[in-house]
Amino acid sequence: MIRMFNHWFSWRSVAGALFDFSFLVVSLFILLTWVNSGLPIHVPQVLIFSALFASAMLAINILLGFYQRTTNTSFANKRARAMLSLYLAIPVAYGLYALLPITSVNRDLMQLSAMSAVFGMLVTRVSAAYSPTTKILRRRILVFGTGPQAVAVKHALEHSDPSAEIIGFYPGANEDTPQVAPRLILTRDQPLSDTARNLRADEIVVALSERRGGSMPLRELLDCKLQGIRVLDLASHFEQTLGQIRLDSLYAGWLIFGDGFRQGFVRTLVKRVFDIVCASLLIMLALPVMLAAAILIVVEDGFPLLYRQERVGLGGRLFNVIKFRSMRRDAEKDGKPIWAQAKDNRVTRVGQVIRKLRIDELPQLFSVLKGDMSLVGPRPERPFFVDQLTKEIPFYAVRHSVKPGVTGWAQVRYHYGSTVEDSAEKLQYDLYYVKNHSLFLDIVILFETVGVVLTGKGAH
C-alpha cells in the first residue's frame, strides 16, 4: 500500500493509472506522427492534445472503477466498462480537437489515432486485471495467528490485494482451537523470527485472538522489524488494506496514541471554503434537475415537496436535514422511526428514480451552505437510532467529531444498510474517514460518488 495525503492506495492501482496515462500519451504521439505520412507536425500541439486526452480518459476510467483495489469484478463486467470507456473516448477526442488550436493534423486521423490508443490501453488494462501476478511483484505475508482474526485477514487479502501471497499462519502460544486449514498452519519448531526469515516474508500481520500470558513475542517481532520485515497490528492492516478501521481489532489506546484524528483550524477552514465553493457551483448546475424532480414529485403524490427530518450533527448537535420527498406521505403514520430499506415499499415511483440517482440528496447542498453539513463526511443519523447505536456499538460517537456529509467514505464503499450490523460496518469506514480526512480524500470521495451514481452501485 502507498500512503498519499493521509490516504492509503493500492500500489497496483497507482501503478496501473500511471501506466495507462503514459501509454496513451506515448502511443498517441507515435500514431499521430505515423498517420501524418511523414509530414512535419507541431510537436507542442500534439503533446498538449495527448496529455489532455490521456487525463480525460484516466478520469473516465477512474469513474468506471478500473483502479479499485477490490478484485471481485467479473470479466464480462470489466469488458462492458471497457466498451463504455471506448465509446466515451469519441466525444472527448472531438471536443478537445474543437477546443484546441490544432492545425497540423487532420481531425479524422487524430480521431482514429485516439481510438487506436484507447483500444490498446483498454486491452492491456483488462488483460492485466486477470493475468497471474508475477512472483517478483508479489508480497509474501506471514500471518501471526490461527484464530478468527487470522481468517479475517485471509479473506481481506484475497478480496482486495491480488499482489499478496500468504505464505503461512504461525500459531500463537495460547491458541488452542485454530480456525485456519491445517495445511496452512506452520510449526512452532522455530522462533517466529527464524521462520519469517527462512520463508523470506516481506510482512507480518499480527492477528492473535489471545495476547495475554506471553502470547506476544515482542523481542522476536522486534528482530523481524530490524531485519527489514514490516510488522503490522490488525487495526493498521485493515486500515491500509480495506480503508476501514475494524471494530473487532480496535482499542482505545490505538485511537489515542496513533496518528490521525486531527481537527486543526487550517483543516477546518480549508474544508469550509471547499464546501462553500463546491456547493454553490453544484446548486447552479443542479437547478434544472431539482426543478424537474420537484414537478414530478408534485404530479405523482402532491405536496409536501420537501422532507425535513431531525438528525444528529457535529458534536451531537441536532439539525434538520432537507431532502426531496421520496416516500409516501404516510410513510411513518404511527410516528415511530423505521429503518429505511434498500427496496422499501413506502418509496414512490419517482422516489425510486431520484434515490437511485441521488437527486433526493441535492437540497442538502443548502444545508452545506448554512454550515450544518459538509459535502463529505459521515451520513447524519436520526437521534432515535443514534441513541440505540451508541449503546450497542463501541466508538460510535467518534463519527460526530466531524460534520456530517452529503456523501461519505462509507457510502461509496458499502452497500445499502438498514440494520445495527450494517451501521457497525459503515462505522468502520466512517472511523477511517475521521482518522484520515483531508482535502485530497474529500476529492477522492466526491469522484467515487460520481462513479457510484454512474454504475448504479453503492448505498443511498
Side-chain angles (χ1 to χ4, degrees):
M1 295 294 171
I2 302 173
R3 188 173 177 85
M4 296 170 51
F5 304 103
N6 292 338
H7 182 48
W8 291 98
F9 291 90
S10 166
W11 69 267
R12 287 171 59 90
S13 299
V14 176
L18 292 175
F19 174 83
D20 289 351
F21 180 84
S22 303
F23 182 93
L24 283 175
V25 172
V26 173
S27 59
L28 190 53
F29 182 80
I30 293 174
L31 285 169
L32 288 174
T33 304
W34 176 70
V35 300
N36 219 36
S37 303
L39 297 176
I41 63 172
H42 195 279
V43 174
Q45 287 183 358
V46 172
L47 284 177
I48 291 173
F49 175 85
S50 301
L52 291 177
F53 180 75
S55 300
M57 293 310 304
L58 191 65
I60 290 173
N61 287 346
I62 291 174
L63 291 176
L64 293 176
F66 274 89
Y67 308 110
Q68 291 179 350
R69 27 176 132 182
T70 53
T71 59
N72 57 352
T73 305
S74 66
F75 179 77
N77 186 287
K78 203 87 171 182
R79 185 176 56 189
R81 294 186 186 190
M83 291 300 298
L84 179 58
S85 177
L86 185 60
Y87 290 141
L88 292 174
I90 298 174
V92 170
Y94 271 109
L96 287 176
Y97 187 89
L99 292 173
L100 297 176
I102 300 175
T103 57
S104 59
V105 182
N106 179 274
R107 186 185 67 177
D108 293 334
L109 291 178
M110 181 168 281
Q111 181 69 38
L112 178 62
S113 300
M115 294 306 99
S116 301
V118 171
F119 180 77
M121 180 269 292
L122 292 174
V123 169
T124 304
R125 172 62 33 225
V126 175
S127 301
Y130 294 94
S131 63
T133 309
T134 60
K135 293 291 183 181
I136 298 177
L137 298 177
R138 293 179 74 85
R139 289 185 302 122
R140 297 173 62 81
I141 297 179
L142 175 63
V143 180
F144 184 23
T146 58
Q149 293 183 330
V151 174
V153 171
K154 180 175 182 293
H155 291 164
L157 290 174
E158 290 174 347
H159 178 71
S160 64
D161 194 352
S163 67
E165 177 185 7
I166 297 180
I167 57 179
F169 295 81
Y170 190 89
N174 296 330
E175 290 187 318
D176 300 325
T177 56
Q179 298 189 18
V180 178
R183 60 183 176 81
L184 301 176
I185 299 178
L186 304 171
T187 65
R188 290 181 51 84
D189 297 339
Q190 293 181 322
L192 173 62
S193 54
D194 292 342
T195 300
R197 183 175 59 253
N198 294 337
L199 293 177
R200 304 190 312 279
D202 299 313
E203 184 177 307
I204 296 175
V205 178
V206 180
L208 290 175
S209 302
E210 178 58 63
R211 297 193 176 197
R212 293 173 296 181
S215 297
M216 185 77 74
L218 298 179
R219 178 64 194 182
E220 293 182 34
L221 289 172
L222 178 59
D223 288 341
C224 292
K225 190 168 185 177
L226 293 175
Q227 293 171 17
I229 302 172
R230 294 185 69 213
V231 179
L232 292 177
D233 64 358
L234 204 58
S236 298
H237 165 75
F238 282 120
E239 179 186 7
Q240 297 181 21
T241 306
L242 296 181
Q244 61 178 210
I245 297 177
R246 295 282 288 257
L247 296 175
D248 54 7
S249 62
L250 189 60
Y251 53 95
W254 189 85
L255 294 174
I256 297 170
F257 298 110
D259 61 351
F261 296 100
R262 292 185 291 269
Q263 316 286 349
F265 172 78
V266 175
R267 165 60 182 153
T268 302
L269 177 63
V270 170
K271 188 175 179 66
R272 182 61 184 148
V273 172
F274 179 77
D275 285 342
I276 293 174
V277 173
C278 291
S280 301
L281 291 174
L282 288 173
I283 288 173
M284 288 188 290
L285 293 173
L287 276 177
V289 177
M290 289 194 283
L291 180 60
I295 294 173
L296 291 174
I297 292 171
V298 173
V299 169
E300 181 185 19
D301 200 43
F303 290 97
L305 175 64
L306 298 175
Y307 176 66
R308 290 177 176 82
Q309 194 176 72
E310 196 173 54
R311 299 291 177 97
V312 179
L314 177 65
R317 184 175 63 86
L318 300 181
F319 73 100
N320 285 322
V321 70
I322 304 173
K323 301 168 67 174
F324 279 124
R325 184 170 59 86
S326 60
M327 291 188 178
R328 301 191 313 263
R329 285 171 288 182
D330 61 347
E332 291 182 353
K333 55 186 176 182
D334 57 356
K336 183 179 180 181
I338 303 173
W339 285 104
Q341 306 291 327
K343 295 181 180 180
D344 204 317
N345 58 12
R346 298 173 296 165
V347 179
T348 63
R349 286 176 297 178
V350 173
Q352 291 176 352
V353 176
I354 63 175
R355 275 189 164 204
K356 186 174 182 179
L357 298 178
R358 304 288 181 96
I359 295 174
D360 65 321
E361 308 279 0
L362 291 177
Q364 295 178 46
L365 294 173
F366 294 99
S367 296
V368 174
L369 291 180
K370 184 180 177 182
D372 290 331
M373 298 180 66
S374 176
L375 276 178
V376 180
R379 290 292 293 141
E381 195 51 80
R382 302 172 69 174
F384 176 86
F385 295 125
V386 168
D387 292 340
Q388 177 187 0
L389 295 171
T390 302
K391 295 175 183 176
E392 299 186 27
I393 303 176
F395 305 108
Y396 187 82
V398 174
R399 71 196 301 273
H400 297 135
S401 62
V402 297
K403 284 184 181 180
V406 179
T407 185
W409 185 238
Q411 276 58 51
V412 299
R413 287 292 167 183
Y414 191 71
H415 60 77
Y416 196 98
S418 57
T419 64
V420 173
E421 291 75 19
D422 289 327
S423 296
E425 288 291 331
K426 286 187 174 183
L427 176 62
Q428 296 177 141
Y429 292 102
D430 287 335
L431 288 175
Y432 176 90
Y433 176 79
V434 175
K435 181 178 185 292
N436 299 289
H437 71 93
S438 64
L439 178 61
F440 180 76
L441 182 54
D442 286 353
I443 294 173
V444 168
I445 293 172
L446 289 174
F447 219 70
E448 292 204 13
T449 300
V450 177
V452 166
V453 175
L454 291 178
T455 57
K457 65 185 181 70
H460 182 67

